[in-house]
Amino acid sequence: MNKKFLFILSIIVIVLSSLLIFTYNNDFLYKDDIMRITKIKTVKVETNKNSLNFKEKHYYQKIYGVITNGNDKNKHIKLDYESTYSSVVTDKLKVGDKVFVDNDNIEGLKRDFYVVLMISIFILLLYIVGQFRGLLSVISVLFNIIIFYIGIFLYFKGINLLVLVIIESILFACLSLTIASGFNKKTLSAILSVIISIIFILILLSIVILCTDYSGVNFNNLSFLTIPPKDIILPELLIGSIGAITDVAITISSSISELIDKDSKISTSALNHSSKQIGSDIMSTMVNVLFFTYICAELPLFILAIRNGYSFSNFMHENITLEITRFLVGSIGIILTIPITTFISIKVFKGGS
Amino acid sequence: MNIVLAIILFLLMIYIDFKRGIKLFLSLVFNFLILIVIFYMIVLGLNPIICAFLACLIISYIILYFVNGENIKTECSLKSVIIVLIILAISIFIMTKLSRIAGFGYESTEEISMFSYDIHIDFTSISICLILISLIGATVDASIAISSALYEVYQNNKHLEFKELFKSGMNIGKDILCTTTNTLLFVFLGDFMTLMIWFYHGHYSFLEIMSAKTFLAEFIKIMFSAIGCFLVIPITSYITTHSLLKKK
């Protein structure tokens, strides 16, 4: 067991480190010119004041570097760059960085190395803590991303996004459940519950949307989209909560199957009671996870807005509402799944015996 | 619409468990208020990283002691969460400095175009603060799940040795690990979907997406939430086992 663990661990380390070395040197894959910075000279420092009298330092820099790909490889060039203390939209460049260059302008940092670095740390820790089961969950994540990607692709071919997302969600649930716990009665009842929960959530949401017509929800955050935000909000909410729904479904259905295994004469009301007990444990966990991941996303915008003299109530009205909606819908989905799964699992396990 | 949804959520929580539902809902309101206060403190110019630490401590305190009660389980959880926070704060600091994900990406220029960028707050520390606060929920919950499960195991088998108890903690951890990875992944994909449609319209290639600040900032945030869970599992198992056996 221990030898096997170390063996797989060393394979993972080798694969990941070669991947890291590759991404660090993959400049030839890019069409845009990439420059490696060799020298940075700050020419001038200027202090600006905004309307609220915040002093901001602007650094005017000359960036020297070498092109590392394409036709101009090894050419030395010199570019101008302006960075600021706050770095709201600029980056603080350092010697050794690789940046994209387009028409003598610095377009941005080459960041793919950090994506791979993050994934490497993630997989390594996942394997050390979760061992083989941890790796399995990575595989199911990979499958899910592939399905997700195909779905987006089909959407651009003109298929309705909501229909696509419903089908995708069911596929996600089937895949991750079968990979995590094999094909058995537990999985079956969990999959059934996920499907029925999705239907319930959609009905509930449609009713709420029909009655309130998104009043009080502001779509400023989605302003960059070229399609109407109302088309995308429901599918997005569904995808965002499907992971949590699947988890709740499998947890409840496996604990009900445990309970029935241990005592085959257990009454339905006793089952109901204990699944509510388990449900309330998961409920607080999941709800908290969703809460902080969603609400915190608004912090940078909040700071920028208030520091520009925006009032708090204005901000609350215009920006944070959508994140709150996301959180609320996700949590409602999770909690609705608890009684639905209980009901279906009892039907599946008791009906069969 | 949000008010209607909030009422539905509240009713559902009460339906599942009356007492805990009310507590959970109240703690959410509290946490929201605390977040707003902390956000304001940062706006006033206090150090964002210290503010984030403070926020994390108060929030974990609320989730642990208010929702779950004061006992040996929550005490162990709080200790392990603090240790994990310190480890993570250092690694997040390094990662944010390296990958320069601070500030807004090219994709949000339209959204922020009406603001002046001269605000004299370093967005690098804002990013660190953001990542720290967003991972606290997942971390605290993984921790309390482990310490309560270990406590149950110990109550039923008092003869267990350190090694066995620690091992069962890790086993419970594996369940939580897969669950959390899944939940977080889909939260990420939900956000990512809109971004993906934007990237597609802008004719971004796969490699360009990888270098986009908006993508990487989201990605690092979610990854650190997951890593927080991974780290808290062995640490909580160790601390809980240790203090349970010491009590004996």
Side-chain angles (χ1 to χ4, degrees):
Chain A
M1 172 64 200
N2 231 342
K3 245 185 187 164
K4 203 174 133 202
F5 174 76
L6 284 177
F7 178 66
I8 299 180
L9 187 69
S10 49
I11 289 181
I12 292 175
V13 170
I14 291 168
V15 170
L16 289 179
S17 41
S18 44
L19 206 62
L20 277 171
I21 294 169
F22 174 73
T23 11
Y24 193 74
N25 298 302
N26 67 352
D27 303 2
F28 60 89
L29 289 176
Y30 287 86
K31 268 183 271 153
D32 291 337
D33 282 346
I34 293 172
M35 176 178 90
R36 203 184 65 241
I37 299 176
T38 50
K39 202 170 108 189
I40 297 177
K41 223 160 113 189
T42 306
V43 186
K44 193 169 64 172
V45 182
E46 225 172 58
T47 310
N48 283 10
K49 267 187 190 172
N50 84 346
S51 52
L52 290 173
N53 269 329
F54 291 119
K55 283 180 195 155
E56 173 84 8
K57 276 189 178 143
H58 288 250
Y59 306 95
Y60 295 92
Q61 298 172 317
K62 288 249 182 281
I63 314 272
Y64 299 81
V66 194
I67 301 279
T68 56
N69 66 340
N71 296 332
D72 296 331
K73 195 170 175 179
N74 294 330
K75 201 174 122 190
H76 287 261
I77 49 171
K78 185 177 91 176
L79 300 169
D80 294 320
Y81 192 70
E82 182 193 339
S83 70
T84 61
Y85 172 79
S86 303
S87 46
V88 176
V89 284
T90 54
D91 295 318
K92 286 179 181 133
L93 297 175
K94 281 192 297 236
V95 173
D97 282 342
K98 284 178 174 175
V99 289
F100 293 107
V101 177
D102 188 27
N103 290 332
D104 289 341
N105 267 322
I106 291 179
E107 292 284 313
L109 205 66
K110 179 172 174 286
R111 291 188 174 86
D112 53 358
F113 177 73
Y114 305 112
V115 178
V116 180
L117 181 64
M118 220 52 228
I119 295 175
S120 308
I121 299 172
F122 174 80
I123 292 181
L124 214 56
L125 276 175
L126 189 63
Y127 183 66
I128 292 171
V129 179
Q131 285 163 14
F132 190 63
R133 282 205 36 212
L135 281 191
L136 266 186
S137 79
V138 169
I139 292 168
S140 92
V141 160
L142 269 182
F143 272 120
N144 287 337
I145 289 177
I146 293 170
I147 297 177
F148 177 76
Y149 202 81
I150 295 172
I152 296 274
F153 181 74
L154 285 176
Y155 164 69
F156 288 116
K157 290 264 174 284
I159 299 173
N160 183 295
L161 192 57
L162 188 61
V163 176
L164 263 178
V165 164
I166 295 173
I167 297 170
E168 268 187 3
S169 311
I170 294 168
L171 277 179
F172 285 149
C174 295
L175 251 178
S176 40
L177 288 173
T178 333
I179 289 177
S181 49
F183 198 79
N184 50 35
K185 253 185 172 178
K186 274 190 292 185
T187 319
L188 184 72
S189 83
I191 290 175
L192 273 179
S193 325
V194 170
I195 294 173
I196 293 173
S197 306
I198 290 174
I199 295 170
F200 260 86
I201 293 162
L202 280 178
I203 293 172
L204 185 75
L205 267 183
S206 312
I207 293 173
V208 174
I209 288 171
L210 268 183
C211 293
T212 58
D213 194 29
Y214 293 107
S215 67
V217 180
N218 203 302
F219 295 105
N220 277 1
N221 291 21
L222 302 177
S223 60
F224 59 78
L225 281 181
T226 37
I227 51 168
K230 280 179 192 174
D231 287 356
I232 203 170
I233 186 72
L234 208 56
E236 199 201 277
L237 289 173
L238 199 63
I239 290 267
S241 46
I242 188 69
I245 292 174
T246 315
D247 293 329
V248 172
I250 190 67
T251 318
I252 301 261
S253 82
S254 32
S255 40
I256 287 186
S257 114
E258 280 294 305
L259 286 171
I260 292 182
D261 264 357
K262 275 191 183 137
D263 175 12
S264 54
K265 291 188 199 74
I266 190 166
S267 71
T268 311
S269 67
L271 277 177
N272 255 323
H273 181 76
S274 24
S275 92
K276 264 190 187 174
Q277 205 64 42
I278 302 157
S280 77
D281 277 337
I282 327 173
M283 172 172 85
S284 52
T285 312
M286 297 281 185
V287 167
N288 273 317
V289 172
L290 288 186
F291 181 77
F292 290 104
T293 350
Y294 278 136
I295 305 293
C296 273
E298 288 299 295
L299 175 65
L301 198 60
F302 180 81
I303 296 198
L304 193 61
I306 305 280
R307 276 272 191 166
N308 267 286
Y310 240 59
S311 80
F312 178 69
S313 62
N314 248 341
F315 181 81
M316 286 299 271
H317 267 285
E318 290 191 0
N319 288 298
I320 213 163
T321 46
L322 186 62
E323 298 296 327
I324 296 181
T325 315
R326 282 178 177 162
F327 158 70
L328 286 172
V329 172
S331 318
I332 289 175
I334 292 165
I335 302 182
L336 257 184
T337 314
I338 297 171
I340 292 175
T341 313
T342 313
F343 179 78
I344 288 171
S345 302
I346 292 174
K347 275 268 174 308
V348 168
F349 291 118
K350 284 243 161 178
S353 62
Chain B
M1 178 168 158
N2 280 342
I3 298 169
V4 180
L5 286 176
I7 294 170
I8 296 176
L9 181 65
F10 181 60
L11 291 177
L12 278 171
M13 280 177 175
I14 291 182
Y15 169 73
I16 299 291
D17 187 331
F18 187 76
K19 226 169 125 192
R20 270 189 91 165
I22 290 178
K23 270 189 173 177
L24 181 59
F25 198 81
L26 278 180
S27 77
L28 284 180
V29 176
F30 267 139
N31 285 336
F32 188 66
L33 292 178
I34 287 166
L35 280 187
I36 303 261
V37 171
I38 295 284
F39 284 7
Y40 250 104
M41 281 162 68
I42 296 171
V43 169
L44 289 177
L46 292 165
N47 186 322
I49 302 175
I50 294 174
C51 288
F53 246 97
L54 200 70
C56 287
L57 284 183
I58 300 173
I59 290 164
S60 2
Y61 193 83
I62 290 181
I63 300 180
L64 289 172
Y65 286 88
F66 182 67
V67 181
N68 296 295
E70 194 173 345
N71 47 42
I72 186 165
K73 293 178 272 183
T74 43
E75 198 183 298
C76 295
S77 294
L78 192 63
K79 271 188 213 157
S80 5
V81 168
I82 292 173
I83 295 174
V84 170
L85 271 182
I86 293 170
I87 299 174
L88 280 179
I90 298 167
S91 22
I92 292 169
F93 183 81
I94 296 171
M95 199 63 205
T96 321
K97 281 265 178 196
L98 272 180
S99 59
R100 255 113 347 137
I101 49 168
F104 295 86
Y106 176 69
E107 294 71 28
S108 356
T109 358
E110 200 180 324
E111 190 187 347
I112 58 168
S113 55
M114 56 203 183
F115 299 124
S116 143
Y117 304 150
D118 298 343
I119 54 165
H120 195 71
I121 286 186
D122 189 357
F123 263 68
T124 314
S125 40
I126 300 285
S127 292
I128 298 168
C129 164
L130 174 93
I131 300 173
L132 266 179
I133 300 182
S134 43
L135 61 80
I136 188 73
T139 310
V140 170
D141 282 308
S143 171
I144 187 72
I146 299 219
S147 67
S148 345
L150 263 182
Y151 186 76
E152 290 301 316
V153 172
Y154 177 72
Q155 290 299 324
N156 291 320
N157 311 277
K158 296 229 171 181
H159 59 276
L160 280 183
E161 306 247 330
F162 185 87
K163 228 177 165 180
E164 294 162 306
L165 204 55
F166 180 72
K167 209 174 169 191
S168 69
M170 292 297 282
N171 272 332
I172 302 156
K174 280 179 200 168
D175 280 326
I176 299 168
L177 193 102
C178 301
T179 326
T180 325
T181 323
N182 244 331
T183 310
L184 288 173
L185 170 84
F186 280 99
V187 168
F188 173 67
L189 283 185
D191 277 355
F192 185 54
M193 196 167 77
T194 20
L195 210 57
M196 197 64 184
I197 291 171
W198 157 266
F199 283 146
Y200 189 90
H201 279 296
H203 300 287
Y204 280 54
S205 70
F206 176 70
L207 289 169
E208 282 170 319
I209 294 175
M210 297 255 281
S211 282
K213 197 193 251 180
T214 324
F215 167 75
L216 189 60
E218 279 293 321
F219 186 73
I220 288 186
K221 191 177 99 183
I222 290 291
M223 281 291 161
F224 269 114
S225 298
I227 289 172
C229 280
F230 299 170
L231 287 180
V232 90
I233 290 168
I235 292 177
T236 314
S237 301
Y238 184 84
I239 291 183
T240 314
T241 313
H242 194 77
S243 50
L244 279 176
L245 291 178
K246 208 173 72 186
K247 210 180 66 180
K248 186 169 82 179

